[in-house]
Amino acid sequence: MNNPPGETLPGSTDIMVELIKVSKRYPPDVVALDTISLTIPRGEMLFVIGMSGAGKTTLLKLMATMEAPSNGLIEIGGEPIQDLRGAKLARLRQRIGVAYQDFKLLLNRTAAENIAISMEVSYKKPQYITKRVRTLLDQLNLADKHGMIAGELSRGEQQRVTLARAVANSPALILVDEPTGNLDAITTEWVMKLLANSHKAGATIVIATHDDSLYRDSGCRVIELHKGNLLGISGERP
Amino acid sequence: MKFWLAVLQQLGRNLRQTWPSQMMTFLTVSLSVLIFSLFSVIYINMLTVSRQIGDDLQLVVYLNDEPGPEMQEQLRNKITAFDQVESIHFVSRDEAYQRFRQQLGDSSDVLDDMPHDFLPPSIEVTPLHSLRGLSQIKLFSDYLLKLPGAEKVQYGQEWIERFHSFTQVLRLVVLLSASLLILTTIFMVSHTIRLTIMGRVDELELLKLVGATNNYIRMPFMLEGFLQGLAGSLIGLSALYALFLWISHRVTGSELLSMVHFTFFQPGIIALIILLSIILCTAGSYFSMHKYLRF
């Protein structure tokens, strides 16, 4: 039931994400990303940094198949995603876990139900879902919030629930947008530990952040965006 | 199997968590079914009354002289030459007198000084059920008037013509109202369902983002529509039946209305209304969701 991360995305290539000359424009004439090319190998943990409005969230949205690029080609697991529709697109999304900056929680459902949703859509067994939800809530110090309505949680708690939902289905690709924006130092450590565990298990992780303490001594590759352009890459591809 | 288990789980959760809006749709469906069915049951009963009046229709041909057996046979042949009839009954002067006397009851003594043959002989013709159109009855009446010895033909022309006009107008009103009601029902139900779904757009969006297939998202909503159609029509029809029983009970005291036999829908019509209601609600859910599931 619990597939090891990275095993079930299409293609046998070692490349998890490939962006070739990708641009994204919003009407009337806002260039969010301008001709970006980027390769992310399987199993990498990559940080995307840049000021507000640099294009970090847009980049994650394109990789998450939430939006389509205006130009260029995006491949996930070696397969172009532009033409994916219906069940194929749904299957791909089941293997991508996303922690959104605006959380996208169902505020009238409990914390546990919000986390379970990503596993329910891929028909995991109820017993497995219950166990996995408990484990994740424990790991994020939210065990006592299991049955609490998401709308009644604090911002920091909501953020952790979002993260738990992103990793719950053991996805091959995890995209995280500002994971520690509302968290204190200790909680930040729990969150990063959870992501590190998923990374160790084989997941490819892309984290968009302002917080330099997250990537400073991590040894991971960091790419910097500025006004939709790729300003620089530090660190080496694994 | 896994799919249906997940769908049923989702359905149960939706019903639990969105019961106020579900209740709104359910009430809309119930009321729409009730109003539509009320008009239909009125129309059906109107047709029944019209049929009952048709069953009692009889043409009376008044004659100059009482026909002998041979003449009676000739007249019978001439009448059946126009069309087959249900019955032909010759009423002699004496029989007419006796009937009249009986009708007068306690006042029959006013006839004591009258001769027994002052009433004209007549033929009572009951046409077949197939001959029930007003124009056909008129043609038949004209034909009977040309029979040898016929003086006058009566069948309650004025009353029947008035009733016929009334039923025509009522039929038009009921059909127009029913058509408008069907359109209103479709609009109200689909609009309520759409509003319910619009209130859950965030959920739909999230389900898509976490990789739910369109069928996984759509099916619980369609099952909700199915249940709303089923429960709404059952409650609407039950309410109408209760109303029908109440009205039937109330009119038993009225002499005029007690002559009319009120009927409710046949089981087939009840099944059809429930089926249509289910189809309407399920299709309403399907099409309301359609635009959210295009990508």
Side-chain angles (χ1 to χ4, degrees):
Chain A
M1 290 303 293
N2 187 9
N3 300 311
E7 273 196 1
T8 52
L9 268 177
S12 57
T13 171
D14 286 337
I15 306 296
M16 176 59 75
V17 182
E18 179 96 72
L19 283 88
I20 303 165
K21 293 185 177 177
V22 170
S23 300
K24 179 68 184 176
R25 286 182 205 88
Y26 293 104
D29 198 23
V30 180
V31 181
L33 284 177
D34 190 14
T35 333
I36 299 279
S37 292
L38 177 69
T39 303
I40 306 173
R42 258 178 219 275
E44 179 176 15
M45 183 185 273
L46 174 81
F47 288 89
V48 182
I49 61 167
M51 295 195 311
S52 294
K56 304 189 293 292
T57 301
T58 305
L59 182 66
L60 260 57
K61 279 182 177 173
L62 294 182
M63 289 186 206
T65 71
M66 275 175 78
E67 291 183 8
S70 309
N71 287 107
L73 179 75
I74 301 177
E75 288 182 358
I76 307 276
E79 189 165 347
I81 60 170
Q82 273 96 326
D83 303 327
L84 288 181
R85 292 282 183 281
K88 275 190 175 178
L89 180 62
R91 268 199 300 276
L92 175 69
R93 283 173 171 168
Q94 285 173 16
R95 305 304 301 144
I96 303 174
V98 190
Y100 305 93
Q101 197 173 12
D102 58 354
F103 307 153
K104 294 198 188 301
L105 290 176
L106 300 177
L107 298 177
N108 58 348
R109 302 238 180 133
T110 64
E113 284 173 339
N114 269 284
I115 298 169
I117 225 167
S118 60
M119 291 177 277
E120 284 170 354
V121 299
S122 49
Y123 312 123
K124 296 280 191 289
K125 281 185 179 168
Q127 301 92 306
Y128 170 78
I129 294 174
T130 310
K131 200 175 157 193
R132 178 83 172 137
V133 168
R134 290 254 178 227
T135 309
L136 286 168
L137 286 172
D138 278 344
Q139 285 177 4
L140 290 165
N141 198 29
L142 289 170
D144 57 334
K145 310 291 180 190
H146 182 275
M148 199 176 224
I149 299 296
E152 293 168 6
L153 297 172
S154 71
R155 297 277 297 168
E157 287 164 344
Q158 288 183 348
Q159 192 160 27
R160 279 178 280 164
V161 171
T162 306
L163 191 76
R165 186 184 59 202
V167 301
N169 204 26
S170 307
L173 176 62
I174 299 172
L175 307 169
V176 192
D177 201 354
E178 298 289 357
T180 58
N182 299 286
L183 305 179
D184 55 44
I186 297 172
T187 320
T188 299
E189 203 174 304
W190 285 331
V191 165
M192 289 314 291
K193 208 171 166 186
L194 184 71
L195 289 172
N197 285 342
S198 296
H199 182 226
K200 264 186 219 161
T204 307
I205 299 180
V206 181
I207 303 171
T209 184
H210 279 110
D211 186 353
D212 62 352
S213 70
L214 297 185
Y215 57 85
R216 204 185 305 129
D217 301 316
S218 65
C220 297
R221 213 155 49 115
V222 179
I223 63 165
E224 186 175 1
L225 291 175
H226 181 72
K227 291 184 179 173
N229 291 291
L230 196 55
L231 206 64
I233 302 177
S234 64
E236 285 181 12
R237 265 166 55 174
Chain B
M1 192 65 187
K2 275 182 185 175
F3 171 78
W4 285 106
L5 274 175
V7 164
L8 289 175
Q9 196 183 2
Q10 183 87 343
L11 173 69
R13 188 189 291 148
N14 288 352
L15 291 177
R16 244 188 355 262
Q17 290 179 342
T18 59
W19 67 266
S21 55
Q22 304 280 353
M23 197 56 98
M24 187 63 85
T25 314
F26 165 73
L27 284 176
T28 309
V29 176
S30 299
L31 280 174
S32 304
V33 169
L34 175 64
I35 297 168
F36 172 70
S37 308
L38 181 67
F39 270 79
S40 305
V41 96
I42 290 172
Y43 182 61
I44 285 175
N45 276 289
M46 195 192 73
L47 287 181
T48 311
V49 170
S50 149
R51 209 172 296 126
Q52 278 171 8
I53 288 168
D55 285 346
D56 297 337
L57 182 72
Q58 201 172 52
L59 293 100
V60 182
V61 186
Y62 292 102
L63 303 167
N64 290 329
D65 289 314
E66 206 155 310
E70 243 178 71
M71 188 59 182
Q72 278 188 14
E73 197 51 41
Q74 273 185 29
L75 286 168
R76 199 181 288 275
N77 289 339
K78 279 190 182 288
I79 292 168
T80 50
F82 180 86
D83 198 359
Q84 288 295 311
V85 291
E86 208 167 280
S87 68
I88 299 172
H89 179 67
F90 287 88
V91 181
S92 66
R93 288 180 194 276
D94 190 50
E95 191 182 344
Y97 176 81
Q98 294 305 333
R99 277 191 194 175
F100 190 38
R101 198 176 178 84
Q102 212 171 352
Q103 281 169 7
L104 287 173
D106 293 342
S107 312
S108 62
D109 51 352
V110 298
L111 296 176
D112 287 349
D113 296 334
M114 301 285 287
H116 285 205
D117 58 353
F118 80 98
L119 289 169
S122 61
I123 315 169
E124 291 172 350
V125 183
T126 308
L128 283 176
H129 281 268
S130 55
L131 193 78
R132 287 291 190 247
L134 190 64
S135 54
Q136 283 178 301
I137 297 289
K138 268 187 180 169
L139 276 175
F140 192 36
S141 162
D142 292 343
Y143 175 80
L144 292 176
L145 194 60
K146 286 176 194 157
L147 290 175
E151 262 197 345
K152 193 180 177 186
V153 179
Q154 269 191 345
Y155 58 93
Q157 292 95 321
E158 275 188 26
W159 194 85
I160 285 182
E161 276 173 30
R162 266 189 222 152
F163 183 77
H164 183 76
S165 310
F166 170 73
T167 52
Q168 291 292 89
V169 170
L170 197 60
R171 172 185 288 190
L172 197 68
V173 169
V174 168
L175 286 179
L176 272 175
S177 314
S179 313
L180 286 173
L181 266 171
I182 289 174
L183 288 175
T184 313
T185 308
I186 291 173
F187 175 77
M188 275 167 65
V189 170
S190 62
H191 202 69
T192 315
I193 290 171
R194 193 169 298 142
L195 280 176
T196 312
I197 288 171
M198 274 170 70
R200 288 157 70 179
V201 168
D202 288 350
E203 184 185 336
L204 295 182
E205 192 192 357
L206 180 73
L207 282 168
K208 278 169 68 179
L209 291 176
V210 296
T213 58
N214 284 353
N215 278 339
Y216 180 94
I217 300 171
R218 194 187 283 133
M219 202 52 80
F221 283 89
M222 286 177 67
L223 285 176
E224 278 171 40
F226 176 90
L227 289 177
Q228 279 159 353
L230 179 68
S233 56
L234 283 176
I235 295 295
L237 284 169
S238 304
L240 180 68
Y241 188 63
L243 189 69
F244 171 79
L245 287 179
W246 183 75
I247 291 174
S248 303
H249 181 70
R250 295 279 293 188
V251 301
T252 45
S254 160
E255 227 173 86
L256 178 69
L257 288 171
S258 61
M259 288 164 65
V260 181
H261 177 63
F262 287 110
T263 52
F264 196 66
F265 294 123
Q266 298 292 314
I269 302 285
I270 292 175
L272 187 68
I273 291 174
I274 293 172
L275 186 70
L276 283 177
S277 176
I278 288 172
I279 290 174
L280 182 66
C281 292
T282 313
S285 297
Y286 180 89
F287 289 111
S288 301
M289 298 220 57
H290 197 60
K291 70 172 185 175
Y292 297 108
L293 301 177
R294 263 181 281 180
F295 183 63

